[in-house]
Amino acid sequence: PVLYSYFRSSCSWRVRIALALKGIEYDLAPVNLIKDGGEQLTTQFQALNPMQQVPALTIDGITLSQSLAIIQYLDETRPTPSLLPKDPKKRAQVRMISDQIVSGIQPLQNLTVLKQVGEEKKLEWAQHFITRGFQALERILKDTAGQYCVEDEVSMADLCLVPQVYNAERFKVDLSPYPTITRINKALLEMEAFKRTHPSRQPDTPPDMRA
């Protein structure tokens, strides 16, 4: 497998965690989203992913984009450890939390949107949408969480949560109103799969940002 990734991309990080948890070895092909206007905009990368976004994963003779589609494919083809609970209600909760983050929070503060918003307003914009999303997420997690987002098993929802908290910290969001989010994030970051895939430990991490 080859993963096309950017060290600080939260969508890429979700997939890196899934690959690590499942013990899948892969080659990493860094795609710099900033350099020369963004390597994801090249014709070569567009052939891999017409949306010109990371991640993209080449595996089993196909190329997949969109982090949740990739994670669910990995879970269906390499089911151990499972990232989606067998119980339909819990599985729906995992998907609900994942979708809230990947559709309702992250796209509103990603690089493409912030470029359009402009340098002056981008911090305020990102803080607004992350705060709005975290207010809802905290309430949901109070009902669903055990040790992790949905009870006591690591799931796809947790793979979405940790990168989003990293984004919140990058954009200087006050996390004190979100004790459940903070507690789960802290517990997950103790796990080797989350540590090893952290943005500060990637082959393309700039020297001044390395752990």
Side-chain angles (χ1 to χ4, degrees):
V2 179
L3 177 66
Y4 297 84
S5 168
Y6 179 57
F7 79 101
R8 204 161 63 179
S9 154
S10 51
C11 307
S12 299
W13 190 6
R14 296 171 200 148
V15 174
R16 294 197 303 262
I17 300 165
L19 291 164
L21 284 169
K22 290 180 177 291
I24 301 166
E25 293 199 7
Y26 62 94
D27 293 320
L28 191 131
V31 180
N32 193 316
L33 303 187
I34 311 266
K35 184 182 174 186
D36 300 330
E39 292 175 350
Q40 75 279 19
L41 304 178
T42 62
T43 309
Q44 185 184 4
F45 188 76
Q46 192 177 10
L48 272 171
N49 183 5
M51 279 294 283
Q52 300 175 303
Q53 296 170 335
V54 290
L57 180 69
T58 300
I59 189 168
D60 300 338
I62 58 170
T63 300
L64 294 169
S65 63
Q66 300 301 327
S67 61
L68 295 195
I70 295 170
I71 291 165
Q72 290 180 80
Y73 175 77
L74 294 174
D75 210 50
E76 287 163 8
T77 57
R78 294 144 175 94
T80 311
S82 177
L83 297 174
L84 285 161
K86 287 190 168 52
D87 178 78
K89 289 177 184 173
K90 290 181 196 168
R91 198 181 321 141
Q93 287 175 327
V94 167
R95 287 180 170 142
M96 171 180 73
I97 293 162
S98 301
D99 280 339
Q100 183 176 344
I101 295 167
V102 308
S103 302
I105 305 176
Q106 193 274 335
L108 294 163
Q109 50 91 123
N110 75 0
L111 185 64
T112 312
V113 171
L114 294 182
K115 272 185 182 172
Q116 294 296 320
V117 171
E119 198 62 38
E120 273 184 33
K121 288 191 172 179
K122 75 176 188 181
L123 185 65
E124 182 189 350
W125 175 281
Q127 286 174 343
H128 170 78
F129 285 106
I130 294 170
T131 300
R132 182 171 164 266
F134 273 17
Q135 285 169 350
L137 187 59
E138 178 71 16
R139 292 175 71 173
I140 290 167
L141 291 174
K142 279 180 179 168
D143 291 333
T144 63
Q147 192 175 356
Y148 306 118
C149 283
V150 177
E151 299 194 357
D152 298 321
E153 298 293 328
V154 173
S155 71
M156 181 168 72
D158 299 294
L159 277 57
C160 298
L161 180 79
V162 169
Q164 189 56 55
V165 175
Y166 174 83
N167 285 348
E169 290 170 340
R170 259 182 73 204
F171 292 115
K172 301 178 173 58
V173 172
D174 176 13
L175 295 175
S176 59
Y178 317 115
T180 315
I181 291 173
T182 305
R183 173 182 64 75
I184 296 168
N185 182 66
K186 188 178 175 186
L188 290 163
L189 284 173
E190 294 295 316
M191 298 178 68
E192 185 58 31
F194 288 79
K195 285 182 189 173
R196 186 159 27 105
T197 57
H198 193 277
S200 63
R201 296 185 173 189
Q202 296 312 297
D204 58 329
T205 306
D208 61 332
M209 296 180 73
R210 288 194 168 279

